[in-house]
Amino acid sequence: MKRRDFTLEVCVDSPESAAAAERGQADRLELCGHLMTGGVTPDEWLYRRVRQVCGLPVRVLIRPRFGDFLYTEDEFWLIERQVEHFRELGADAVVIGCLLPDGRLDMERMKRLVELAGDMEVTLHRAFDVCRDPEEALEQAVSLGIGTILTSGQESSALAGAECLARLQKRADGRITLMAGAGIGAEAIRKLYPATGLTAYHMSGKKVLPSAMEYRKEGVPMGLPGISEFEIWRTDGEAVLAASRMLSKFTEN
């Protein structure tokens, strides 16, 4: 059952994690690919399988690559097509963000993506956290009709950004939902809600599982340096449940 006035969103990149988030009583998912690198746009078949194994609403991250949020014409063409595609597939929302070289929101491109989203809801992702002026970006997001901003308060974690989050929450004044992300779990929520008044939270609940491979060929990396080929990231349903129960305590008070 959804907690009155509180939202817990879980970021997942696999059907297994989606199912764990649902068992942990999350309210909705943000679906991405390759969460280990910060998340990129998932493929259609991952989306379809998650819909099969999980009944939660699904918001889809639209991000064509790892790295910054300044996109080439070709990259933006991909972003446009991805927004259209997931709208056609029935996604509940898209999660987007584009910046200009000077750190401001790229309003022309953001407006275009909001238009392409149509009836879907829109979240401005953590491009917000590396923009030049968060107050200006908040007002721009409101003017575009964006419903949610995912943010850590422009710090490495939401707890570190609590002061900024509280200031932004006051400025938002109910016109847009601020959703705290980065380092979110039950303990972080316990501290953040009284300090900021935020009622929406975004977490991955990550746990690292060992690979089931018995034979392990060492010294042949397949991806980013320093990332083991024999570790698998999954959502910990118990961590999600603990966060969910923390939000329920605030509802009861």
Side-chain angles (χ1 to χ4, degrees), residues 36-231:
M36 186 177 288
T37 61
V40 294
T41 307
D43 67 45
E44 174 180 339
W45 299 106
L46 173 58
Y47 172 83
R48 289 185 182 275
R49 185 57 177 164
V50 164
R51 284 295 204 188
Q52 288 177 345
V53 304
C54 178
L56 295 177
V58 177
R59 299 188 169 206
V60 177
L61 175 65
I62 307 296
R63 187 184 182 205
R65 59 160 170 78
F66 167 81
D68 65 32
F69 306 104
L70 176 63
Y71 296 113
T72 66
E73 290 296 326
D74 288 331
E75 288 171 337
F76 188 67
W77 185 91
L78 290 173
I79 291 171
E80 289 178 301
R81 302 294 81 75
Q82 290 166 348
V83 170
E84 290 178 317
H85 186 55
F86 282 103
R87 184 191 68 211
E88 292 166 359
L89 288 174
D92 297 283
V94 286
V95 182
I96 60 174
C98 301
L99 297 179
L100 295 168
D102 66 1
R104 293 178 296 123
L105 277 187
D106 187 333
M107 288 294 286
E108 181 178 344
R109 285 180 165 182
M110 291 294 293
K111 182 179 180 181
R112 171 63 176 158
L113 296 179
V114 170
E115 291 171 350
L116 289 174
D119 293 337
M120 289 190 295
E121 294 187 46
V122 175
T123 294
L124 169 58
H125 60 45
R126 292 188 64 210
F128 180 88
D129 283 326
V130 292
C131 75
R132 177 184 295 274
D133 185 335
E135 282 82 5
E136 177 187 53
L138 185 152
E139 295 299 335
Q140 290 174 324
V142 170
S143 74
L144 290 168
I146 290 172
T148 302
I149 297 173
L150 171 60
T151 175
S152 63
Q154 296 209 314
E155 297 289 349
S156 60
S157 72
L159 279 174
E163 183 177 339
C164 178
L165 289 173
R167 184 173 71 250
L168 292 170
Q169 176 76 342
K170 183 176 181 180
R171 186 181 186 105
D173 193 26
R175 296 174 297 156
I176 194 168
T177 298
L178 294 176
M179 180 167 58
I184 297 299
E187 182 63 14
I189 291 171
R190 185 184 69 80
K191 296 176 180 178
L192 281 168
Y193 175 61
T196 67
L198 267 65
T199 58
Y201 296 88
H202 170 101
M203 67 182 294
S204 67
K206 180 197 75 175
K207 63 179 177 181
V208 180
L209 303 176
S211 167
M213 286 295 298
E214 296 176 2
Y215 173 73
R216 300 189 176 194
K217 178 68 174 179
E218 302 291 349
V220 188
M222 299 291 175
L224 295 174
I227 297 180
S228 172
E229 308 297 335
F230 303 107
E231 293 180 350

